[in-house]
Amino acid sequence: AQRVTQPEKLLSVFKGAPVELKCNYSYSGSPELFWYVQYSRQRLQLLLRHISRESIKGFTADLNKGETSFHLKKPFAQEEDSAMYYCALSPLLYGNNRLAFGKGNQVVVIP
Amino acid sequence: NAGVTQTPKFRILKIGQSMTLQCTQDMNHNYMYWYRQDPGMGLKLIYYSVGAGITDKGEVPNGYNVSRSTTEDFPLRLELAAPSQTSVYFCASSYSGQRYGYTFGSGTRLTVV
């Protein structure tokens, strides 16, 4: 079974400082990894996925299969980045398309 | 294009009461899911469906039931509400399962007293 671990529940950073959210996973095959974000009083929304190799709102995430990690990074945090962030994994198996979520990271950006 | 719509947004139930959380999507997605979100626990999958007429259990199905009679609708039924079911419930849908990610509804905050 797949498992996603986000070790830090709360992360406080100053505006302009770098932010890194850690995500480790356990899965024997090749998974698809995602980061979702939930801003205050808004619905959960997809931030980025590893397959796209994209940068969204200044965030990037690199899949490291050797370390089974998918850490989320942004060089300069902004106040609007304050939110709940979830790492999620989906196995690349036909018929199995359920996302497994980590417990989430609460990010607070201090002005 | 409304995406995924959930109703109601808030509800208070008494122990033993029943209710149905509604979820509908207008994106013609085959896959639909119900998650519950508990503080500090992330999201847990309750039930999911890969198409009309097909449903399956997730991690925490006990105390819930679902049906999928149409592509658009995926209601979640609580038959005998218990305090342990106090949570925020999210419905989600996706086009092809995992590859393109999920579209989530705005959630239903349920309190059982």
Side-chain angles (χ1 to χ4, degrees):
Chain A
Q2 56 269 29
R3 178 181 290 179
V4 178
T5 303
Q6 293 178 252
E8 297 153 334
K9 283 189 178 181
L10 176 64
L11 189 66
S12 297
V13 298
F14 285 100
K15 178 181 175 180
V19 58
E20 181 178 22
L21 302 180
K22 296 188 185 301
C23 173
N24 290 91
Y25 66 90
S26 62
Y27 178 64
S28 57
S30 293
E32 299 244 11
L33 276 298
F34 304 83
W35 277 98
Y36 281 80
V37 61
Q38 188 176 27
Y39 301 103
S40 179
R41 286 187 287 275
Q42 293 188 27
R43 65 185 68 194
L44 207 63
Q45 56 187 283
L46 179 65
L47 179 61
L48 56 79
R49 47 198 173 117
H50 91 270
I51 197 170
S52 299
R53 299 184 182 277
E54 55 201 347
S55 173
I56 303 293
K57 299 183 179 182
F59 284 97
T60 59
D62 292 318
L63 177 60
N64 186 323
K65 291 186 178 181
E67 296 183 357
T68 60
S69 68
F70 188 56
H71 304 328
L72 184 69
K73 301 176 184 179
K74 184 170 182 177
F76 308 104
Q78 302 299 314
E79 290 181 63
E80 56 265 29
D81 296 328
S82 294
M84 194 76 181
Y85 292 81
Y86 291 94
C87 184
L89 174 154
S90 181
L92 282 175
L93 293 174
Y94 177 76
N96 185 345
N97 33 47
R98 295 162 282 172
L99 278 178
F101 287 85
K103 294 184 178 182
N105 293 121
Q106 180 73 49
V107 172
V108 176
V109 180
I110 303 164
Chain B
N1 190 338
V4 178
T5 303
Q6 288 184 240
T7 57
K9 292 192 184 300
F10 305 93
R11 183 71 185 269
I12 298 175
L13 278 183
K14 293 185 178 179
I15 294 172
Q17 286 186 320
S18 62
M19 77 165 293
T20 299
L21 282 67
Q22 301 292 343
C23 175
T24 188
Q25 53 92 7
D26 60 359
M27 298 170 286
N28 203 31
H29 285 173
N30 284 328
Y31 302 96
M32 296 187 75
Y33 313 84
W34 274 105
Y35 285 86
R36 57 177 289 172
Q37 183 186 40
D38 299 312
M41 299 301 293
L43 284 83
K44 299 289 186 183
L45 181 65
I46 306 171
Y47 270 96
Y48 69 103
S49 169
V50 300
I54 306 170
T55 63
D56 207 348
K57 297 177 181 178
E59 296 177 77
V60 290
N62 292 342
Y64 307 95
N65 275 301
V66 293
S67 60
R68 185 92 183 273
S69 57
T70 66
T71 299
E72 295 77 21
D73 300 306
F74 190 43
L76 178 72
R77 178 86 178 157
L78 283 71
E79 290 294 348
L80 292 170
S84 61
Q85 293 178 304
T86 294
S87 187
V88 180
Y89 292 83
F90 288 99
C91 179
S93 71
S94 67
Y95 173 64
S96 64
Q98 65 276 25
R99 185 157 285 265
Y100 297 99
Y102 291 3
T103 301
F104 280 86
S106 57
T108 295
R109 185 174 294 275
L110 175 67
T111 302
V112 181
V113 296

